[in-house]
Amino acid sequence: MKIPKRLQPLVEDGLIDEVISRLMSGKEADVFVVRANGETRCAKVYKDAMKRSFKKAAQYQEGRQIANSRRARAIAKGSKFGREQQEEIWQNAEVDALYQLAAAGVRVPKPYGCYDGVLLMELVQSDDGDIAPRLDDVILTEEQALEDHALMIHYVKLMLCTGIIHGDLSEFNILVDDYGPVIIDLPQAVNAAANNSAFAMLKRDVDNLANYYGQYAPMLKNTAYAEEMWALYEAGELTPDTELSGAHQTAATNADVDSVLAEIQAVLAEEEARQARLKAAEEGED
Ligand SMILES: Nc1ncnc2c1ncn2[C@@H]1O[C@H](COP(=O)(O)OP(=O)(O)OP(=O)(O)O)[C@@H](O)[C@H]1O
Ligand SMILES: [Mg+2]
């Protein structure tokens, strides 16, 4: 296709070889399929701040570190330079979160950097090369819903262990490929330790998961993972290996904890096996 204006500099710099198609025009960004480095990848072009509609941006950004004091002053003053700096921070937040989460073992698209407001990342696709659907477009069995929910809760826990809350997690920001759920869309990622709304955002993310997967597996609707995780996190006791039960004092008493727990253990074992396979495959490539 004709090269979109915003992708032109990346083409000129050799970061993108070819623009194949426009995948999606979202509220915050336009997403393209591109060729780069011999692979089909995804390019997310952020819209200008003015055109963006993301609610309560200030609430999300609370607690983000601005190390450079000149930057911080410019942002506080709201000058043009300040707005540009703010924009850069917003755009880099997603690529930073992707690197951190990938390192923590959360399935996210593999990032390839962010240049001029364009995030380059892995295109999530099936082994046959079909672009992965959003969770919202997938029909699940009860068993699959339990398994995927447990894995997503595991990912949310790993994220919280690294101090990150997604902040907009829902069936629209989870893709599903042949190996399970992949988390996307993180520019609003929240600093768990420094944001006063952190728990509220975590709870909303976790509730969205319970409600969505709960359509297929109703017992999930009575779980209270957010409260449980947050209490451990605040006490400094949450670790990647923490086994969560889904039960919490404030939770309804009829949660089917045993079966959910058994399911989590099965998923964790499977995830470990998957990581081991990935590692073996990577070592094989080297
Ligand atoms: N790495 C990827 N691989 C495959 N598809 C992707 C990838 N990233 C984004 N998409 C597709 O592009 C859509 C928009 O991406 P994303 O959610 O990151 O941007 P957005 O502008 O915030 O969108 P929205 O406002 O719809 O949430 C996704 O719903 C998904 O269908
Ligand atoms: Mg989205």
Side-chain angles (χ1 to χ4, degrees):
M1 65 179 275
K2 183 172 172 290
I3 299 168
K5 196 162 149 253
R6 292 279 303 278
L7 292 180
Q8 188 70 45
L10 285 85
V11 173
E12 282 163 14
D13 289 346
L15 293 161
I16 292 177
D17 297 323
E18 190 192 339
V19 183
I20 298 173
S21 62
R22 180 192 293 265
L23 184 57
M24 204 65 85
S25 224
K27 292 187 298 289
E28 319 285 321
D30 293 323
V31 178
F32 296 90
V33 178
V34 301
R35 289 291 292 175
N37 229 359
E39 283 179 4
T40 308
R41 289 185 185 163
C42 182
K44 179 171 177 178
V45 181
Y46 297 103
K47 294 196 170 160
D48 293 343
M50 299 301 166
K51 294 186 199 136
R52 266 203 322 255
S53 57
F54 208 88
K55 295 165 282 178
K56 298 187 221 146
Q59 189 183 6
Y60 282 93
Q61 286 176 32
E62 184 191 314
R64 278 196 187 159
Q65 300 295 325
I66 302 172
N68 180 323
S69 63
R70 181 162 159 264
R71 257 192 177 191
R73 278 199 306 278
I75 291 170
K77 276 201 318 221
S79 65
K80 177 161 179 287
F81 174 72
R83 282 198 306 274
E84 284 165 9
Q85 294 288 305
Q86 181 101 49
E87 194 55 18
E88 207 181 303
I89 290 171
W90 169 270
Q91 291 170 352
N92 282 325
E94 180 157 31
V95 77
D96 291 348
L98 288 175
Y99 281 113
Q100 275 181 275
L101 295 184
V106 178
R107 273 206 76 201
V108 292
K110 186 171 168 33
Y112 294 101
C114 185
Y115 313 89
D116 296 333
V118 180
L119 166 63
L120 294 176
M121 62 181 150
E122 171 196 354
L123 181 70
V124 182
Q125 48 189 341
S126 71
D127 287 343
D128 301 336
D130 296 327
I131 294 168
R134 298 190 306 195
L135 175 58
D136 177 51
D137 293 320
V138 179
I139 292 172
L140 299 172
T141 61
E142 178 178 349
E143 194 191 354
Q144 193 67 59
L146 283 171
E147 185 180 316
D148 287 4
H149 176 266
L151 186 51
M152 283 300 304
I153 292 294
H154 178 59
Y155 290 156
V156 171
K157 177 188 68 188
L158 293 179
M159 289 174 73
L160 189 54
C161 287
T162 65
I164 296 176
I165 295 168
H166 187 291
D168 191 22
L169 195 59
S170 74
E171 60 274 25
F172 305 107
N173 285 329
I174 299 171
L175 304 180
V176 185
D177 74 2
D178 298 341
Y179 305 94
V182 184
I183 298 174
I184 62 163
D185 203 0
L186 288 134
Q188 72 292 319
V190 169
N191 180 339
N195 190 305
N196 287 316
S197 312
F199 172 66
M201 302 219 194
L202 176 74
K203 180 153 170 56
R204 190 177 55 192
D205 283 357
V206 169
D207 285 352
N208 284 344
L209 296 175
N211 288 328
Y212 190 78
Y213 289 109
Q215 296 177 95
Y216 301 101
M219 65 271 244
L220 293 175
K221 293 196 177 174
N222 291 322
T223 53
Y225 287 101
E227 290 80 355
E228 188 185 8
M229 253 187 250
W230 188 253
L232 291 167
Y233 173 74
E234 283 205 302
E237 288 168 9
L238 189 70
T239 72
D241 301 322
T242 301
E243 282 183 21
L244 300 169
S245 67
H248 192 265
Q249 280 113 326
T250 59
T253 45
N254 57 344
D256 184 1
V257 173
D258 284 347
S259 72
V260 173
L261 197 61
E263 192 64 40
I264 296 163
Q265 274 153 357
V267 170
L268 287 178
E270 206 169 279
E271 172 67 4
E272 258 172 41
R274 189 184 71 81
Q275 296 279 0
R277 279 199 305 278
L278 272 178
K279 195 157 169 260
E282 269 170 21
E283 281 166 0
E285 269 173 26
D286 292 340

